[in-house]
Amino acid sequence: MIEITHLAKKFAVENPKKLSEQERKDPRLQGKYFHSVKNVSLTCKSGEVLGLLGPNGAGKTTTLRMLSTALKPDSGDIKIAGKSVVKTPLIARRSIGFLSGATGLYGRLTGRENIAYFGQLHGMSASAIKQRISALSSLLELDTFLDRKCDNYSTGMKQKTAIARAVVHSPELVVLDEPTTGLDIMAAQTVLAFIEGLKQQGIPVIFSTHHLDEVAQLCDRVSVIHHGQTEFDDTLTRFKALAPGSLHQAFMAVIATGDA
């Protein structure tokens, strides 16, 4: 189970004059600090998929980066199976598979070499890496390009390879930041099927998305962040009940509440 409680993270504004008009009007801008995340709490149990929703700039990516231990929160806590990610980040990283918004693949390496390298970083043996890559290649349909250099990959190839790299060590939790952005329909469906497979294995998945059809297809829970705060965190059924027949209207209802 993943428990995120009262997370907060602010950043110093180096040059306020360079802020856009929209940024100046954001209520999170307070003096020389921008409070990207002010108060975010959510939960996700084993075998659940949680869809993290919110407008652009709401604080979703900052929240996920804190969950991945890439950023340390100013306050609040994150626990995986009762263990604090904030207090023991090195231990927590072994439990997390994280895909950021940018794939970050090494272009001069092949997909296989990229995945294997991260397996080595996690202390996996050569035989275990080989077996895991074979399994992931089948699940994510990597066979046709796995041994080509990543410089020559399409967006879909890069994204699927990056997902394989993120989960090569069989993590206890998988965190995906907009995993289907820029993908064609077939590649997106492969990724969604993979997420469904993780769910069937009892692995909790948290992923941010702007595609409400993905939420309807996969999610057990929904969390909505607006202006750096959790405005909704509950089951998909209760989210749907906010505006029967339209997830879009349900989302807009939550956002309107946060603006009130």
Side-chain angles (χ1 to χ4, degrees), residues 15-27 29:
N15 191 342
K17 293 182 179 179
K18 291 186 177 181
L19 294 175
S20 67
E21 184 178 351
Q22 182 178 359
E23 288 171 330
R24 291 193 187 98
K25 292 180 178 179
D26 195 307
L29 181 63

Side-chain angles (χ1 to χ4, degrees), residues 105-110 148-154 158:
L105 298 173
Y106 297 108
R108 294 185 180 182
L109 300 182
T110 66
R148 290 163 48 188
K149 289 186 177 181
C150 292
D151 268 342
N152 302 316
Y153 280 10
S154 67
K158 289 179 180 178

